């Protein structure tokens, strides 16, 4: 599709849709608690979840994959997921009773709920990731990991006698990240395991090696990526050395060393030359925005109506954006993707690495920095000055970047990020401020006078009736 033929934002689905009603139920914590009490039993009794939260959700065909967290018996949060059910999934199958392990996590949960067209599963029962049941079992993984980690032992980092594991990240049906810890007296050896539903992990091992070779040439070891250890083919598990240090999110002040290190790392990454990366275009960015707006329209039409003028204005603006210099881009670059230990910066999660406009990474970083300020309760009126200082620091490394293109990608990230956070319990309150900031960017860039007036009405100030209702 050519830039001149970009379509307007899809209109939200009607409230009367039965499937939309079911999706809204799966995103409402009190109703989720009722569903879990009715369908999941633990020790012969109905599950009694407390403090239910919608952690994350993703589009999946005409449905959603939803992750819930909740406390059990007053202890730390456990995780269950609702996956769109295939016809075979809705037929009851005999299975063992769920168990509760320590730390509190439910295992062995697979419960079809035909009324909502979903199957509730614990991560170890994900039908698309059957390996998780083994990967989350320390007893089953101990010998395999001992053999895989022999290179670390040979380098003076002995593997301990006791193994622990923790699920760090999980996208139902797609991928998972697991931290393995070997305890050996006073020391702990950690490794990171990444599981994908396909053979992507094997390609990721090769990609990390190639990227690290080029990063060494460009930065002399100051910028790194997690070092690959091994790929366990039968389990589809890619193993990487653990990156020790602190998150760059801890130093987002204007003069923070970690912030400067984050921008320096991004400038180095953008100089890595890899010819076989898939392209990520301006049209792809617009498609991501349309996709998340479509999800919001199906489950929360009133909120979608608020953000619809912003989406339309952004898509019109995209016709004016000239493609920038093609570089290796991260595509999900923000402060929590970096580990800083004082001398080196480690860039995490190369799964989304692509060939595209460097302004995409810069705009994404700026939008997350704005969200970080909201979450920290810091003042946001002076954010424009901070953003300019960030760009100036980057430009001292790689030269001038077009401000309009960076502003476009920042607004795009704020709009889709607001759609995403609208569907999460803990961060829902940040959606409106993110959209307001996107509206300010659009008005400043002259996205059209009509759109600006519509945005002012749709994304109302905090004291308005609309904001209070949300």
């Amino acid at each position: 599709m050519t830039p001149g033929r970009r379509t307007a934002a899809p209109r939200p689905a009607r409230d009367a849709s039965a499937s939309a009603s079911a999706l809204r139920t799966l995103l409402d914590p009190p109703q989720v608690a009722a569903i879990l009490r009715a369908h999941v039993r633990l020790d012969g009794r109905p599950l009694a979840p407390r403090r239910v939260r919608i952690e994350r959700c993703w589009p999946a065909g005409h449905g959603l994959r939803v992750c819930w967290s909740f406390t059990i018996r007053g202890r730390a949060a456990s995780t269950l997921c609702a996956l769109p059910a295939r016809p075979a999934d809705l037929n009851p199958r005999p299975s063992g009773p769920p168990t509760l392990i320590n730390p509190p996590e439910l295992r062995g949960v697979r419960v079809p709920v035909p009324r909502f067209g979903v199957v509730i599963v614990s991560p170890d029962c994900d039908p698309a990731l059957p390996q998780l049941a083994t990967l989350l079992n320390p007893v089953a993984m101990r010998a395999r990991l001992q053999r895989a980690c022999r290179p670390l032992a040979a380098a003076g980092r002995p593997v301990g006698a006791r193994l622990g594991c923790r699920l760090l990240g999980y996208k139902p049906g797609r991928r998972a990240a697991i931290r393995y810890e070997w305890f050996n007296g006073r020391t702990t050896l950690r490794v990171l395991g990444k599981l994908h539903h396909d053979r992507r992990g094997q390609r990721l091992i090769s990609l990390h090696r190639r990227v690290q070779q080029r990063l060494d040439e460009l930065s002399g070891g100051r910028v790194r990526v997690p070092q690959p250890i091994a790929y366990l083919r039968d389990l589809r598990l890619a193993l990487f050395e653990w990156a020790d240090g602190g998150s760059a999110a801890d130093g987002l002040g204007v003069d923070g060393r970690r912030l400067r290190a984050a921008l320096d790392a991004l400038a180095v990454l953008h100089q890595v030359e890899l010819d076989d990366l898939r392209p990520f275009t301006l049209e792809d960015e617009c498609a991501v925005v349309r996709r998340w707006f479509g999800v919001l329209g199906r489950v929360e039409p009133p909120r979608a109506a608020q953000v619809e003028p912003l989406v339309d204005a952004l898509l019109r603006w995209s016709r004016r954006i000239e493609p920038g210099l093609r570089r290796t881009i991260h595509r999900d670059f923000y402060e929590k993707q970096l580990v800083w230990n004082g001398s080196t910066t480690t860039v995490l999660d190369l799964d989304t690495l692509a060939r595209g406009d460097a302004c995409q990474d810069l705009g994404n970083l700026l939008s997350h920095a704005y969200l970080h300020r909201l979450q920290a309760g810091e003042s946001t009126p002076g954010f424009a000055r901070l953003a300019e200082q960030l760009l100036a620091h980057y430009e001292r490394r790689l030269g001038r970047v077009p401000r309009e293109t960076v502003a476009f990608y920042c607004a795009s990230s704020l709009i889709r990020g607001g759609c995403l956070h609208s569907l999460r319990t803990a961060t829902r309150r940040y959606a409106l401020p993110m959209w307001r900031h996107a509206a300010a960017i659009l008005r400043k860039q002259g996205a059209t006078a009509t759109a600006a007036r519509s945005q002012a009405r749709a994304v109302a100030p905090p004291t308005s009736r609309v904001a209070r209702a949300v």
Side-chain angles (χ1 to χ4, degrees):
M1 183 181 296
T2 60
R5 296 174 58 191
R6 292 190 178 95
T7 58
R11 296 301 183 257
R14 293 292 183 185
D15 247 351
S17 167
S19 61
S21 177
L23 291 178
R24 287 193 293 273
T25 299
L26 299 176
L27 295 172
D28 182 55
Q31 295 193 68
V32 170
I35 293 172
L36 295 178
R37 284 194 297 269
H39 293 278
V40 181
R41 301 183 70 82
L42 180 64
D43 298 334
R45 300 178 180 179
L47 186 68
R50 302 177 70 87
R51 300 177 183 174
V52 176
R53 302 203 314 180
I54 313 303
E55 290 295 340
R56 303 191 71 182
C57 65
W58 301 266
H62 295 292
L64 290 175
R65 299 185 184 98
V66 185
C67 276
W68 306 313
S69 71
F70 48 88
T71 60
I72 306 176
R73 299 170 184 173
R75 295 191 288 176
S78 185
T79 300
L80 288 179
C81 301
L83 309 179
R86 301 165 299 182
D89 294 327
L90 297 178
N91 297 322
R93 300 178 188 175
S95 61
T99 58
L100 183 64
I101 66 169
N102 190 25
E105 278 288 351
L106 284 168
R107 294 285 184 263
V109 177
R110 186 191 177 282
V111 180
V113 186
R115 177 184 173 187
F116 298 105
V118 299
V119 56
I120 298 174
V121 300
S122 51
D124 62 305
C125 292
D126 189 325
L129 300 174
Q131 303 91 338
L132 262 179
T134 299
L135 298 179
L136 293 174
N137 185 338
V139 175
M141 289 299 298
R142 183 172 144 182
R144 293 294 303 273
L145 290 175
Q146 280 180 329
R147 291 194 295 270
C149 293
R150 281 174 183 167
L152 299 182
R157 301 170 65 186
V159 172
R162 185 162 59 95
L163 176 67
C165 64
R166 179 183 175 187
L167 186 64
L168 294 179
Y170 173 51
K171 184 175 183 179
R174 307 295 292 178
R175 60 181 180 266
I178 306 166
R179 183 181 68 194
Y180 293 103
E181 295 181 299
W182 291 100
F183 303 100
N184 185 14
R186 297 180 180 178
T187 62
T188 300
L189 174 65
R190 295 186 177 99
V191 297
L192 175 68
K194 283 197 166 188
L195 166 69
H196 295 82
H197 72 287
D198 53 17
R199 300 289 182 186
R200 194 169 309 177
Q202 190 169 16
R203 298 193 297 272
L204 198 58
I205 290 279
S206 173
L207 178 63
H208 273 243
R209 289 180 175 139
R210 294 162 56 207
V211 170
Q212 186 60 65
Q213 180 180 356
R214 287 160 176 78
L215 289 177
D216 286 341
E217 296 168 355
L218 293 165
S219 72
R222 291 182 294 105
V223 181
R224 303 183 58 79
V225 295
Q227 297 303 292
I229 299 173
Y231 181 70
L232 307 185
R233 186 182 300 272
D234 58 321
L235 296 174
R236 297 186 177 178
L237 182 70
L239 291 172
F240 299 89
E241 294 185 18
W242 186 261
D244 290 315
S247 169
D250 300 332
L252 271 180
V254 175
D255 298 320
R257 290 178 61 199
R258 296 188 184 196
L259 179 56
R260 295 195 298 271
L263 292 165
D264 290 341
L266 182 60
V268 173
L269 181 65
H270 283 168
Q271 296 177 70
V272 171
E273 292 292 338
L274 296 172
D275 297 329
D276 56 345
L277 294 176
R278 63 187 181 280
F280 186 81
T281 65
L282 186 67
E283 183 62 35
D284 294 325
E285 179 76 13
C286 293
V288 174
V289 174
R290 286 194 294 264
R291 185 184 188 197
W292 277 107
F293 172 73
V295 171
L296 186 65
R298 292 171 60 193
V299 298
E300 290 203 39
R303 275 213 162 192
Q306 288 180 284
V307 76
E308 183 177 349
L310 300 182
V311 176
D312 286 338
L314 184 82
L315 296 180
R316 286 193 294 271
W317 186 13
S318 70
R319 302 167 190 163
R320 305 200 318 253
I321 300 298
E322 293 295 330
L325 184 63
R326 312 298 286 179
R327 294 187 181 275
T328 295
I329 61 172
H330 189 282
R331 280 191 52 218
D332 192 25
F333 191 87
Y334 66 109
E335 67 279 0
K336 291 185 179 179
Q337 298 283 32
L338 302 166
V339 175
W340 186 79
N341 68 5
S343 59
T344 62
T345 304
T346 302
V347 182
L348 308 178
D349 288 346
L350 301 189
D351 306 52
T352 56
L353 213 63
R355 194 75 176 166
D357 193 332
C359 293
Q360 197 274 347
D361 279 341
L362 291 168
N364 194 68
L365 177 62
L366 291 178
S367 72
H368 279 82
Y370 185 81
L371 174 60
H372 182 86
R373 283 202 155 195
L374 292 175
Q375 293 172 322
E378 298 177 5
S379 175
T380 57
F383 184 77
R385 183 171 60 88
L386 170 62
E388 183 58 36
Q389 290 177 339
L390 298 181
L391 293 177
H393 186 88
Y394 175 88
E395 287 176 330
R396 285 195 286 271
R397 304 298 184 273
L398 285 185
R400 184 76 177 169
V401 295
R403 293 297 191 272
E404 182 182 11
T405 307
V406 174
F408 170 84
Y409 280 109
C410 182
S412 173
S413 181
L414 287 165
I415 292 172
R416 59 181 165 82
C419 293
L420 184 152
H421 288 291
S422 288
L423 306 177
R424 296 181 181 178
T425 304
T427 56
R428 176 182 172 86
R429 64 186 180 276
Y430 301 123
L432 280 179
M434 293 174 73
W435 289 336
R436 290 189 200 109
H437 190 55
I441 293 174
L442 288 162
R443 287 195 297 269
K444 183 177 180 180
Q445 295 296 328
T448 73
T450 301
R453 288 194 296 270
S454 299
Q455 292 148 18
R457 290 194 298 269
V459 187
T463 56
S464 73
R465 176 182 57 81
V466 173
R468 287 198 301 270
V470 175

